Each structure stands twice: as structure tokens, then as C-alpha cells.
Amino acid sequence: MEGSRGVTRKAGLVVLLSGKGSNLQALIEGCRAGRLFADIVLVVSNRPDAEGLIKAQIAGIPHRVLTFRKSLQSREEYDQDLARLVGSVQPDLVILAGFMQILTSFFLNSFPERVINLHPALLPEDPESDGIVLPDGTVSPVFRGAHAIRLALDAGVSHAGCTVHLVTEKVDCGQVIASSLVRIKPGDTEDSLRERIQKEEHRILPMAVQTFLQSLSQPAGAPRL
Ligand code: GRF
């Protein structure tokens, strides 16, 4: 990233997660290998049992748990606490890598255009669009939300995929940064398809983050990686 005097410095990333953290691991490895000119400065989980916390610990990355206490606080209050915690490390970019909680505008407005998400399905370039043209010329519906892989299988479409996109208040609707197609094979189950989608996620996420960081001053298009 360009500092105020044109000095290049590594970008600071915050990763929010809720589960396994295999995408956190892909980012850690991208940083280590120098493919990603960044440091992960903080990992936050909303679940104390998230395996991703162990991956952060092994990598020596500061990590915190912030659970949503439904009976004690509103979503907005949680997001205020989360924004305070994330803001304390002044990140260049916040990455939702399997963070299974919808963020309110309070959080998003605290880091405008600086929150990106990884979604296990293809998303259209035009957020208003309801369909995606697949390589075989068929049109797939858009699968948003938490059950995108199952929905793709149930719909019998030829391809699934994954997408890195900017986060907006409308779930899974922000500008696409990068995406990748995954062909659905006969006999695929949710698990077998998820496994191949995740392989693609691990490949494109570090590249998409690097592309996005480089384009922060001049927004680029959406490469198919
Ligand atoms: C990924 O498949 C991502 O698409 C979805 O949550 C999953 C997180 O996996 N949003 P992991 O915790 O990175 O292994």
C-alpha cells in the first residue's frame, strides 16, 4: 500500500470467522509466501469453539472472541463492540471468511468500502440481476444466503462457484471482486461439491485480496481468477 509519503507498507488485515478457518489458513500462507503483501493483524470469531482461532494461535496472530449475547444486547450494540475491537487495530481491509453473522450498517459504515466477503456461489456482476450465464449457455439462478451450495445442487445447474465481493447491507449483493467457476459432477453431494468449492476459495481469496488492495486508489473491474 502507498503510505502518505509514497512509502510502501504492508496492508493490515482483520479476518472475521465463525468456523474452521481454512480460508484464514489460505490467507496466512499467502502472506507467508509473499503472494499477499499484507499482515493479518487480528482474527475475531463470534464463536468460542471456532477452529479458526487455533489456526490464528498457531500462526501467532492476535485473536479474540466476541459472542453475540442475544438476551443482553441488540445487533447494533454487538456491531458497535465489534467495530471498536476491529477499529483498534486500524485495518486496511476487513475480510469475512466464514463469518456467519449479518453485519448491520453501523459496522459497515465504520469501514466504508473496506469489508469483503467470501461466498460459496457465483454472484452476478450486476447485483440487481437474478441470473448468471454459465459456460454451457444455460442460465443459473443466483444463490445467496447460508445454503447456497445445497440450493445449487437442488436446482440441477451445471456449475457452482465462489465469489469474493464487497459487503453492503443487502446480503451477498455487493460489487464482485473475483469469482471462480466449479463444475458440478454427476453424483456430487453437498460435501463433495463444498470440498471442490473450498479448494477454489483457497486459491482465489488471497489473489482477490491482493488485487483489491492494489486497486484501492483506482477501483478495478472484476477479474475471473
Ligand atoms: C467458506 O466456504 C465460505 O464460502 C463461507 O464459509 C466458509 C468458511 O470456511 N462463507 P472456512 O471456515 O474458511 O473453512
Side-chain angles (χ1 to χ4, degrees):
M1 305 232 358
E2 286 280 301
S4 55
R5 291 166 189 238
V7 179
T8 19
R9 63 165 177 85
K10 284 189 176 180
L13 309 177
V14 169
V15 178
L16 306 190
L17 52 75
S18 307
K20 211 163 48 142
S22 64
N23 283 286
L24 166 67
Q25 191 62 39
L27 291 169
I28 292 170
E29 283 162 22
C31 290
R32 275 196 195 131
R35 292 191 302 274
L36 187 45
F37 193 58
D39 284 321
I40 303 167
V41 291
L42 178 67
V43 170
V44 183
S45 170
N46 62 338
R47 296 187 48 140
D49 57 349
E51 266 181 68
L53 291 167
I54 299 167
K55 293 186 169 71
Q57 186 177 16
I58 291 170
I61 300 168
H63 48 285
R64 295 280 301 274
V65 176
L66 196 63
T67 46
F68 175 52
R69 293 159 301 156
K70 203 175 176 182
S71 55
L72 296 176
Q73 62 184 165
S74 66
R75 290 303 270 265
E76 176 113 339
E77 283 165 343
Y78 175 86
D79 276 13
Q80 284 173 9
D81 290 347
L82 184 62
R84 208 171 301 120
L85 175 59
V86 171
S88 69
V89 296
Q90 298 186 296
D92 294 294
L93 190 62
V94 180
I95 303 167
L96 311 186
F99 185 67
M100 302 309 284
Q101 196 162 298
I102 295 170
L103 294 166
T104 64
S105 56
F106 183 89
F107 185 87
L108 298 176
N109 292 339
S110 304
F111 307 97
E113 307 274 298
R114 293 293 182 273
V115 184
I116 67 173
N117 180 45
L118 174 64
H119 182 63
L122 297 168
L123 294 175
E125 302 280 332
D126 172 5
E128 298 301 318
S129 168
D130 290 331
I132 296 167
V133 181
L134 298 176
D136 58 5
T138 57
V139 178
S140 166
V142 179
F143 305 114
R144 296 189 169 94
H147 307 290
I149 298 178
R150 179 158 25 95
L151 292 174
L153 274 176
D154 290 350
V157 292
S158 62
H159 290 75
C162 50
T163 306
V164 181
H165 65 94
L166 266 178
V167 179
T168 57
E169 277 179 66
K170 252 177 132 181
V171 174
D172 300 330
C173 278
Q175 183 200 322
V176 173
I177 298 163
S179 65
S180 183
L181 282 155
V182 174
R183 200 169 62 80
I184 298 182
K185 296 180 182 171
D188 252 338
T189 61
E190 214 175 316
D191 283 347
S192 65
L193 182 56
R194 177 175 294 106
E195 198 178 314
R196 294 204 307 289
I197 289 174
Q198 287 217 322
K199 218 167 163 190
E200 276 307 287
E201 290 182 343
H202 302 160
R203 188 179 72 82
I204 71 165
L205 182 61
M207 283 199 270
V209 170
Q210 181 62 22
T211 304
F212 186 76
L213 291 171
Q214 280 168 345
S215 71
L216 276 181
S217 49
Q218 11 172 306
R224 289 235 162 206
L225 296 175

XYZ file of all heavy atoms in Angstrom, residues 68-162:
729
model
N -22.267 -12.826 20.339
C -23.487 -12.024 20.374
C -24.367 -12.548 21.508
O -24.776 -13.715 21.480
C -24.194 -12.131 19.017
C -25.527 -11.449 18.985
C -25.659 -10.130 19.387
C -26.654 -12.127 18.541
C -26.890 -9.497 19.365
C -27.885 -11.506 18.519
C -28.010 -10.182 18.932
N -24.631 -11.708 22.494
C -25.472 -12.132 23.635
C -26.881 -11.594 23.417
O -27.193 -10.478 23.800
C -24.867 -11.637 24.940
C -23.517 -12.319 25.255
C -22.692 -11.502 26.212
N -22.416 -10.175 25.670
C -22.135 -9.119 26.401
N -22.085 -9.206 27.694
N -21.895 -7.952 25.824
N -27.661 -12.448 22.751
C -28.988 -12.046 22.291
C -29.875 -11.437 23.380
O -30.590 -10.468 23.150
C -29.687 -13.281 21.691
C -30.770 -12.953 20.717
C -31.295 -14.226 20.094
C -32.475 -13.887 19.184
N -33.066 -15.068 18.593
N -29.801 -12.024 24.592
C -30.692 -11.546 25.654
C -30.208 -10.226 26.255
O -30.948 -9.536 26.952
C -30.791 -12.603 26.745
O -29.486 -12.909 27.182
N -28.963 -9.878 25.987
C -28.393 -8.701 26.647
C -28.156 -7.511 25.728
O -27.956 -6.392 26.186
C -27.039 -9.070 27.289
C -27.056 -10.092 28.414
C -25.645 -10.403 28.868
C -27.860 -9.541 29.589
N -28.108 -7.787 24.420
C -27.750 -6.691 23.528
C -28.457 -6.812 22.180
O -28.889 -7.897 21.782
C -26.220 -6.652 23.321
C -25.677 -7.887 22.675
C -24.151 -7.902 22.546
O -23.571 -8.917 22.296
N -23.490 -6.783 22.719
N -28.535 -5.687 21.490
C -29.101 -5.678 20.142
C -27.977 -5.961 19.143
O -26.794 -5.896 19.489
C -29.725 -4.312 19.843
O -28.700 -3.339 19.801
N -28.365 -6.235 17.907
C -27.353 -6.455 16.868
C -26.474 -5.217 16.701
O -25.274 -5.305 16.492
C -28.035 -6.764 15.526
C -28.705 -8.115 15.490
C -27.720 -9.218 15.800
N -27.085 -9.713 14.603
C -27.509 -10.776 13.933
N -28.548 -11.450 14.357
N -26.891 -11.167 12.849
N -27.122 -4.076 16.775
C -26.388 -2.805 16.622
C -25.353 -2.648 17.744
O -24.220 -2.238 17.506
C -27.386 -1.654 16.626
C -26.741 -0.310 16.563
C -27.020 0.418 15.259
O -27.368 -0.204 14.244
O -26.884 1.638 15.273
N -25.751 -3.011 18.974
C -24.810 -2.893 20.100
C -23.630 -3.847 19.909
O -22.487 -3.501 20.181
C -25.525 -3.181 21.427
C -26.362 -2.003 21.885
C -27.368 -2.351 22.968
O -27.677 -3.553 23.174
O -27.870 -1.411 23.589
N -23.942 -5.050 19.430
C -22.854 -6.005 19.148
C -21.916 -5.402 18.107
O -20.691 -5.440 18.248
C -23.431 -7.334 18.636
C -22.353 -8.313 18.221
C -21.761 -9.163 19.141
C -21.907 -8.354 16.886
C -20.748 -10.036 18.762
C -20.895 -9.233 16.506
C -20.324 -10.071 17.444
O -19.320 -10.934 17.060
N -22.508 -4.859 17.053
C -21.681 -4.308 15.972
C -20.859 -3.108 16.439
O -19.772 -2.849 15.913
C -22.559 -3.941 14.771
C -22.819 -5.162 13.894
O -22.534 -6.287 14.347
O -23.294 -4.997 12.749
N -21.374 -2.390 17.408
C -20.581 -1.274 17.963
C -19.352 -1.833 18.677
O -18.240 -1.336 18.506
C -21.431 -0.449 18.935
C -22.425 0.447 18.211
C -23.383 1.146 19.171
O -23.218 1.108 20.387
N -24.401 1.792 18.610
N -19.564 -2.902 19.459
C -18.433 -3.533 20.165
C -17.433 -4.088 19.140
O -16.222 -3.941 19.283
C -18.913 -4.702 21.044
C -19.716 -4.206 22.239
O -19.685 -2.995 22.516
O -20.379 -5.041 22.879
N -17.988 -4.736 18.113
C -17.114 -5.339 17.088
C -16.329 -4.244 16.351
O -15.123 -4.386 16.116
C -17.968 -6.146 16.105
C -17.230 -6.917 15.025
C -16.315 -7.984 15.639
C -18.218 -7.592 14.058
N -17.007 -3.156 16.006
C -16.335 -2.065 15.282
C -15.231 -1.458 16.150
O -14.162 -1.097 15.643
C -17.348 -1.002 14.873
N -15.503 -1.374 17.442
C -14.488 -0.817 18.348
C -13.259 -1.738 18.375
O -12.121 -1.287 18.261
C -15.076 -0.671 19.762
C -14.445 0.442 20.554
C -15.170 0.731 21.859
N -16.560 1.106 21.691
C -17.599 0.433 22.213
N -17.403 -0.634 22.954
N -18.841 0.842 22.014
N -13.528 -3.038 18.495
C -12.423 -4.005 18.547
C -11.625 -4.003 17.237
O -10.396 -3.914 17.242
C -13.004 -5.404 18.821
C -12.054 -6.581 18.802
C -10.954 -6.402 19.847
C -12.814 -7.888 19.073
N -12.332 -4.082 16.122
C -11.658 -4.112 14.813
C -10.944 -2.778 14.576
O -9.801 -2.737 14.110
C -12.681 -4.425 13.693
C -12.058 -4.239 12.321
C -13.213 -5.858 13.849
N -11.619 -1.686 14.924
C -11.038 -0.359 14.692
C -9.787 -0.121 15.511
O -8.931 0.680 15.131
N -9.649 -0.848 16.624
C -8.487 -0.626 17.492
C -7.180 -0.989 16.792
O -6.117 -0.529 17.194
C -8.624 -1.427 18.796
O -8.516 -2.819 18.531
N -7.259 -1.803 15.732
C -6.021 -2.158 15.020
C -5.919 -1.434 13.674
O -4.995 -1.682 12.892
C -5.892 -3.699 14.810
C -5.790 -4.410 16.146
C -7.051 -4.250 13.984
N -6.844 -0.533 13.407
C -6.827 0.300 12.201
C -6.531 -0.488 10.924
O -5.520 -0.241 10.261
C -5.823 1.430 12.359
C -6.190 2.354 13.516
C -5.275 3.548 13.587
O -4.067 3.393 13.814
N -5.824 4.707 13.377
N -7.399 -1.418 10.589
C -7.118 -2.263 9.426
C -7.318 -1.531 8.096
O -8.096 -0.580 8.022
C -8.173 -3.370 9.552
C -9.326 -2.709 10.233
C -8.714 -1.722 11.193
N -6.614 -2.007 7.085
C -6.866 -1.511 5.719
C -8.056 -2.246 5.118
O -8.723 -1.726 4.230
C -5.624 -1.740 4.848
C -4.467 -0.900 5.328
O -4.564 0.329 5.227
O -3.486 -1.473 5.844
N -8.262 -3.477 5.568
C -9.321 -4.288 4.985
C -9.832 -5.281 6.026
O -9.054 -5.848 6.793
C -8.748 -5.059 3.780
C -9.726 -5.795 2.882
C -10.708 -4.834 2.229
C -8.957 -6.547 1.797
N -11.144 -5.483 6.026
C -11.771 -6.479 6.903
C -12.306 -7.592 6.008
O -13.040 -7.331 5.051
C -12.933 -5.849 7.710
C -13.572 -6.894 8.632
C -12.454 -4.644 8.514
N -11.918 -8.820 6.307
C -12.312 -9.954 5.456
C -13.237 -10.879 6.234
O -12.873 -11.392 7.304
C -11.057 -10.737 5.005
C -10.095 -9.801 4.271
C -11.451 -11.919 4.104
C -8.710 -10.392 4.079
N -14.431 -11.084 5.693
C -15.356 -12.053 6.299
C -15.066 -13.399 5.652
O -15.353 -13.612 4.480
C -16.811 -11.651 6.045
C -17.209 -10.202 6.357
C -18.713 -10.018 6.199
C -16.763 -9.796 7.751
N -14.436 -14.277 6.409
C -14.070 -15.594 5.871
C -14.849 -16.637 6.659
O -14.341 -17.242 7.597
C -12.561 -15.814 5.993
N -16.136 -16.773 6.288
C -16.977 -17.712 7.010
C -17.508 -17.117 8.300
O -17.682 -17.826 9.284
N -17.765 -15.817 8.313
C -18.348 -15.155 9.490
C -19.856 -15.248 9.339
O -20.447 -14.599 8.475
C -17.887 -13.696 9.563
C -18.332 -12.977 10.809
C -17.841 -13.351 12.050
C -19.222 -11.914 10.739
C -18.237 -12.681 13.208
C -19.617 -11.240 11.887
C -19.120 -11.619 13.119
N -20.482 -16.107 10.176
C -21.898 -16.434 9.978
C -22.815 -15.514 10.779
O -23.650 -15.969 11.549
C -22.140 -17.909 10.339
C -21.296 -18.887 9.533
S -21.388 -18.621 7.755
C -22.997 -19.312 7.435
N -22.612 -14.240 10.622
C -23.498 -13.285 11.281
C -23.637 -12.071 10.371
O -22.633 -11.591 9.827
C -22.878 -12.877 12.622
C -23.865 -12.211 13.533
C -23.358 -12.228 14.975
O -23.164 -13.278 15.584
N -23.128 -11.061 15.519
N -24.861 -11.616 10.202
C -25.072 -10.478 9.293
C -24.700 -9.188 10.013
O -25.110 -8.955 11.151
C -26.534 -10.463 8.793
C -26.777 -11.710 7.940
C -26.824 -9.196 7.993
C -28.211 -11.957 7.580
N -23.901 -8.373 9.335
C -23.437 -7.128 9.952
C -24.425 -6.000 9.673
O -24.990 -5.915 8.582
C -22.060 -6.765 9.390
C -20.944 -7.736 9.768
C -19.715 -7.515 8.908
C -20.593 -7.593 11.246
N -24.613 -5.141 10.655
C -25.515 -4.003 10.454
C -24.761 -2.860 9.777
O -23.527 -2.863 9.677
C -26.043 -3.474 11.808
O -24.916 -2.978 12.544
C -26.748 -4.558 12.606
N -25.528 -1.852 9.381
C -24.910 -0.700 8.714
C -23.930 0.005 9.656
O -22.988 0.631 9.195
C -25.977 0.267 8.229
O -26.768 0.633 9.319
N -24.134 -0.122 10.967
C -23.205 0.551 11.877
C -21.779 0.061 11.629
O -20.843 0.847 11.502
C -23.578 0.315 13.356
C -22.648 1.066 14.265
C -22.936 2.366 14.638
C -21.447 0.499 14.693
C -22.046 3.097 15.432
C -20.551 1.214 15.484
C -20.867 2.511 15.848
N -21.625 -1.259 11.543
C -20.286 -1.802 11.314
C -19.786 -1.405 9.928
O -18.660 -0.939 9.765
C -20.290 -3.328 11.455
C -18.904 -3.914 11.357
C -18.112 -4.028 12.481
C -18.387 -4.302 10.128
C -16.811 -4.536 12.396
C -17.098 -4.805 10.032
C -16.312 -4.924 11.171
N -20.641 -1.597 8.924
C -20.201 -1.334 7.541
C -19.828 0.140 7.361
O -18.846 0.457 6.673
C -21.286 -1.756 6.551
C -21.611 -3.251 6.596
C -22.760 -3.591 5.661
C -20.375 -4.088 6.246
N -20.574 1.030 8.008
C -20.253 2.457 7.878
C -18.967 2.828 8.617
O -18.371 3.863 8.356
C -21.404 3.323 8.409
C -22.616 3.211 7.517
O -22.502 2.831 6.343
N -23.794 3.516 8.055
N -18.563 1.982 9.537
C -17.314 2.242 10.263
C -16.100 1.943 9.383
O -15.008 2.459 9.620
C -17.223 1.381 11.523
O -18.337 1.581 12.335
N -16.299 1.073 8.371
C -15.186 0.690 7.471
C -15.703 0.748 6.027
O -15.791 -0.281 5.351
C -14.678 -0.718 7.825
C -14.323 -0.872 9.271
C -15.229 -1.420 10.168
C -13.106 -0.405 9.745
C -14.928 -1.521 11.510
C -12.790 -0.502 11.097
C -13.706 -1.059 11.977
N -16.052 1.941 5.562
C -16.731 2.044 4.262
C -15.882 1.492 3.112
O -14.697 1.819 3.017
C -16.995 3.543 4.092
C -16.197 4.221 5.148
C -15.858 3.233 6.207
N -16.500 0.626 2.297
C -15.836 0.028 1.129
C -14.606 -0.775 1.520
O -13.712 -0.976 0.706
C -15.397 1.113 0.125
C -16.482 2.055 -0.294
C -17.301 1.530 -1.477
O -16.703 1.341 -2.545
O -18.498 1.301 -1.295
N -14.535 -1.182 2.770
C -13.341 -1.895 3.242
C -13.704 -3.225 3.883
O -12.914 -3.784 4.646
C -12.564 -1.047 4.266
C -11.934 0.194 3.703
C -10.799 -0.148 2.723
N -10.173 1.045 2.232
C -10.589 1.736 1.172
N -11.644 1.348 0.488
N -9.940 2.810 0.782
N -14.893 -3.737 3.594
C -15.289 -5.038 4.140
C -15.629 -5.939 2.962
O -16.458 -5.595 2.114
C -16.521 -4.918 5.074
C -16.837 -6.287 5.692
C -16.285 -3.881 6.165
N -14.933 -7.079 2.878
C -15.213 -8.005 1.778
C -15.604 -9.368 2.340
O -15.264 -9.719 3.471
C -14.023 -8.131 0.778
C -12.816 -8.790 1.427
C -13.646 -6.771 0.207
C -11.690 -9.081 0.423
N -16.340 -10.110 1.522
C -16.873 -11.402 1.964
C -16.554 -12.465 0.920
O -16.378 -12.164 -0.261
C -18.397 -11.290 2.120
C -19.042 -12.578 2.585
O -18.555 -13.231 3.514
N -20.128 -12.968 1.946
N -16.524 -13.692 1.404
C -16.324 -14.840 0.529
C -17.618 -15.639 0.543
O -18.083 -16.046 1.618
C -15.172 -15.660 1.108
C -14.847 -16.979 0.454
C -14.381 -16.766 -0.982
C -13.727 -17.666 1.247
N -18.190 -15.860 -0.639
C -19.488 -16.551 -0.707
C -19.342 -17.816 -1.560
O -18.770 -17.751 -2.660
C -20.524 -15.600 -1.319
C -21.888 -16.202 -1.395
N -22.599 -16.574 -0.281
C -22.669 -16.509 -2.463
C -23.754 -17.080 -0.651
N -23.828 -17.064 -1.971
N -19.873 -18.957 -1.094
C -19.655 -20.206 -1.838
C -20.650 -20.405 -2.990
O -21.274 -21.453 -3.108
C -19.830 -21.277 -0.756
C -20.819 -20.677 0.178
C -20.579 -19.190 0.172
N -20.756 -19.402 -3.822
C -21.622 -19.491 -5.010
C -21.211 -18.377 -5.965
O -20.505 -17.433 -5.565
C -23.085 -19.313 -4.626
N -21.689 -18.487 -7.193
C -21.441 -17.408 -8.155
C -22.416 -16.278 -7.862
O -23.576 -16.532 -7.530
C -21.670 -17.930 -9.578
C -20.722 -19.054 -10.012
C -21.222 -19.683 -11.313
C -19.305 -18.527 -10.176
N -21.941 -15.054 -7.986
C -22.828 -13.893 -7.831
C -22.696 -13.046 -9.092
O -21.628 -12.991 -9.709
C -22.421 -13.075 -6.595
C -22.617 -13.769 -5.239
C -22.052 -12.902 -4.105
C -24.087 -14.073 -4.974
N -23.775 -12.373 -9.492
C -23.716 -11.601 -10.740
C -22.956 -10.287 -10.578
O -22.917 -9.733 -9.475
C -25.197 -11.337 -11.043
C -25.854 -11.369 -9.705
C -25.075 -12.311 -8.838
N -22.373 -9.822 -11.677
C -21.689 -8.512 -11.659
C -22.699 -7.421 -11.303
O -22.382 -6.490 -10.582
C -21.113 -8.208 -13.055
C -20.137 -9.245 -13.578
C -18.750 -9.086 -12.997
O -18.398 -7.949 -12.655
O -18.040 -10.096 -12.885
N -23.900 -7.586 -11.841
C -24.962 -6.618 -11.564
C -25.815 -7.154 -10.407
O -26.532 -8.144 -10.559
C -25.826 -6.455 -12.829
C -27.060 -5.612 -12.549
O -27.192 -5.079 -11.429
O -27.897 -5.492 -13.467
N -25.734 -6.510 -9.223
C -26.434 -7.033 -8.054
C -27.945 -7.175 -8.254
O -28.602 -7.940 -7.549
C -26.137 -6.007 -6.959
C -25.182 -5.042 -7.513
C -25.035 -5.247 -8.976
N -28.491 -6.430 -9.213
C -29.938 -6.497 -9.446
C -30.314 -7.725 -10.272
O -31.483 -8.086 -10.378
C -30.421 -5.240 -10.201
C -30.194 -3.934 -9.451
C -30.897 -3.899 -8.099
O -32.048 -4.355 -8.027
O -30.266 -3.453 -7.113
N -29.310 -8.340 -10.891
C -29.599 -9.443 -11.806
C -29.988 -10.715 -11.035
O -29.468 -11.000 -9.962
C -28.356 -9.701 -12.668
O -28.515 -10.897 -13.352
N -30.894 -11.490 -11.638
C -31.347 -12.725 -10.981
C -30.711 -13.966 -11.582
O -31.023 -15.081 -11.166
C -32.876 -12.885 -11.151
C -33.614 -11.863 -10.329
O -33.059 -11.459 -9.297
O -34.715 -11.476 -10.753
N -29.893 -13.789 -12.607
C -29.345 -14.965 -13.276
C -27.896 -14.784 -13.693
O -27.404 -13.666 -13.834
N -27.228 -15.925 -13.866
C -25.827 -15.918 -14.298
C -25.712 -16.866 -15.482
O -26.150 -18.025 -15.404
C -24.898 -16.401 -13.164
C -24.967 -15.423 -11.992
C -23.467 -16.565 -13.644
C -24.351 -15.936 -10.740
N -25.106 -16.382 -16.572
C -24.932 -17.246 -17.735
C -23.718 -18.140 -17.496
O -22.621 -17.665 -17.193
C -24.742 -16.413 -19.033
C -24.583 -17.336 -20.242
C -25.919 -15.462 -19.236
N -23.926 -19.441 -17.601
C -22.865 -20.422 -17.347
C -22.145 -20.750 -18.656
O -22.643 -20.432 -19.747
C -23.489 -21.679 -16.728
C -24.161 -21.440 -15.370
C -24.847 -22.700 -14.868
C -23.149 -20.941 -14.342
N -20.964 -21.397 -18.575
C -20.176 -21.657 -19.790
C -20.940 -22.463 -20.849
O -20.652 -22.347 -22.029
C -18.978 -22.458 -19.266
C -18.872 -22.097 -17.842
C -20.234 -21.792 -17.356
N -21.895 -23.284 -20.430
C -22.645 -24.063 -21.428
C -23.855 -23.304 -21.973
O -24.688 -23.870 -22.676
C -23.095 -25.405 -20.829
C -23.967 -25.215 -19.582
O -24.284 -24.051 -19.245
O -24.312 -26.225 -18.946
N -23.954 -22.018 -21.630
C -25.028 -21.188 -22.187
C -26.322 -21.212 -21.385
O -27.230 -20.426 -21.641
N -26.408 -22.100 -20.397
C -27.612 -22.117 -19.556
C -27.525 -20.974 -18.537
O -26.442 -20.429 -18.301
C -27.762 -23.461 -18.808
O -26.572 -23.674 -18.026
C -27.929 -24.620 -19.788
N -28.675 -20.639 -17.980
C -28.690 -19.547 -17.002
C -28.989 -20.122 -15.619
O -29.975 -20.841 -15.431
C -29.742 -18.484 -17.388
C -29.784 -17.376 -16.321
C -29.416 -17.877 -18.746
N -28.102 -19.814 -14.680
C -28.299 -20.290 -13.302
C -28.977 -19.200 -12.480
O -28.627 -18.027 -12.599
C -26.942 -20.625 -12.684
O -27.077 -20.782 -11.283
N -29.901 -19.605 -11.603
C -30.394 -18.604 -10.633
C -29.236 -18.171 -9.735
O -28.198 -18.850 -9.689
C -31.431 -19.384 -9.816
C -31.666 -20.665 -10.522
C -30.478 -20.942 -11.371
N -29.414 -17.086 -8.999
C -28.378 -16.626 -8.070
C -28.690 -17.210 -6.690
O -29.812 -17.079 -6.209
C -28.354 -15.083 -8.005
C -27.293 -14.611 -7.026
C -28.104 -14.508 -9.393
N -27.683 -17.863 -6.095
C -27.897 -18.492 -4.798
C -27.212 -17.671 -3.712
O -25.994 -17.717 -3.571
C -27.370 -19.928 -4.807
C -27.965 -20.746 -5.920
C -27.181 -21.216 -6.957
C -29.332 -21.011 -5.929
C -27.735 -21.954 -7.984
C -29.902 -21.742 -6.960
C -29.104 -22.213 -7.994
N -28.035 -16.915 -2.994
C -27.486 -16.096 -1.906
C -27.801 -16.781 -0.584
O -28.584 -17.732 -0.537
C -28.109 -14.700 -1.947
C -27.765 -13.933 -3.222
C -28.222 -12.474 -3.145
N -27.652 -11.704 -4.238
C -28.268 -11.484 -5.399
N -29.477 -11.967 -5.627
N -27.669 -10.776 -6.336
N -27.194 -16.303 0.504
C -27.529 -16.808 1.835
C -26.707 -18.012 2.249
O -25.754 -18.410 1.575
N -27.131 -18.614 3.366
C -26.315 -19.623 4.054
C -26.356 -21.015 3.420
O -25.559 -21.872 3.790
C -26.747 -19.704 5.510
N -27.293 -21.257 2.493
C -27.419 -22.618 1.952
C -27.149 -22.670 0.451
O -27.766 -23.459 -0.274
C -28.806 -23.172 2.278
C -29.129 -23.088 3.725
N -28.488 -23.874 4.665
C -29.955 -22.273 4.410
C -28.929 -23.549 5.861
N -29.818 -22.585 5.736
N -26.236 -21.826 0.010
C -26.027 -21.656 -1.429
C -25.604 -22.950 -2.130
O -26.036 -23.229 -3.253
C -24.980 -20.571 -1.656
N -24.784 -23.763 -1.468
C -24.283 -24.981 -2.126
C -25.436 -25.966 -2.319
O -25.608 -26.534 -3.403
C -23.121 -25.604 -1.314
C -21.955 -24.608 -1.254
C -22.677 -26.930 -1.931
C -20.767 -25.063 -0.445
N -26.228 -26.154 -1.285
C -27.368 -27.070 -1.400
C -28.357 -26.576 -2.463
O -28.853 -27.357 -3.278
C -28.079 -27.198 -0.051
C -29.268 -28.116 -0.178
C -29.755 -28.739 1.097
N -29.465 -28.048 2.324
C -30.330 -27.203 2.920
N -31.484 -26.907 2.362
N -30.007 -26.678 4.072
N -28.588 -25.273 -2.489
C -29.536 -24.722 -3.465
C -29.048 -24.969 -4.897
O -29.844 -25.292 -5.783
C -29.740 -23.221 -3.228
C -30.481 -22.856 -1.927
C -30.490 -21.346 -1.717
C -31.916 -23.387 -1.961
N -27.739 -24.837 -5.112
C -27.193 -25.067 -6.461
C -27.390 -26.523 -6.863
O -27.786 -26.827 -7.998
C -25.704 -24.692 -6.498
N -27.140 -27.430 -5.921
C -27.332 -28.864 -6.217
C -28.801 -29.164 -6.509
O -29.132 -29.839 -7.482
C -26.868 -29.709 -5.031
C -25.405 -30.078 -4.971
C -25.115 -30.822 -3.682
C -24.980 -30.924 -6.167
N -29.675 -28.634 -5.663
C -31.110 -28.884 -5.832
C -31.627 -28.334 -7.152
O -32.548 -28.881 -7.750
C -31.909 -28.253 -4.672
C -31.674 -28.994 -3.358
O -31.064 -30.082 -3.396
O -32.075 -28.473 -2.306
N -31.027 -27.231 -7.603
C -31.518 -26.596 -8.837
C -31.047 -27.351 -10.079
O -31.531 -27.107 -11.183
C -31.053 -25.144 -8.891
N -30.063 -28.235 -9.909
C -29.573 -29.026 -11.032
C -28.796 -28.209 -12.064
O -28.756 -28.562 -13.245
N -28.163 -27.119 -11.624
C -27.375 -26.295 -12.557
C -26.050 -26.994 -12.879
O -25.616 -27.894 -12.148
C -27.116 -24.884 -11.975
C -28.410 -24.090 -11.897
C -26.462 -24.966 -10.597
N -25.411 -26.569 -13.974
C -24.199 -27.266 -14.407
C -22.951 -26.824 -13.630
O -21.976 -27.558 -13.540
C -23.970 -27.048 -15.904
O -23.771 -25.675 -16.165
N -22.979 -25.588 -13.128
C -21.792 -25.069 -12.432
C -22.191 -24.353 -11.146
O -23.222 -23.662 -11.105
C -21.039 -24.051 -13.287
C -20.350 -24.653 -14.466
N -21.033 -25.061 -15.587
C -19.039 -24.910 -14.700
C -20.171 -25.550 -16.468
N -18.954 -25.470 -15.949
N -21.358 -24.509 -10.137
C -21.438 -23.683 -8.927
C -20.195 -22.796 -8.952
O -19.619 -22.581 -10.023
C -21.469 -24.579 -7.697
N -19.763 -22.322 -7.800
C -18.550 -21.498 -7.792
C -18.380 -20.779 -6.479
O -19.016 -21.129 -5.470
N -17.516 -19.789 -6.493
C -17.313 -18.969 -5.296
C -16.996 -17.547 -5.738
O -16.502 -17.332 -6.851
C -16.196 -19.528 -4.413
S -14.666 -19.890 -5.276
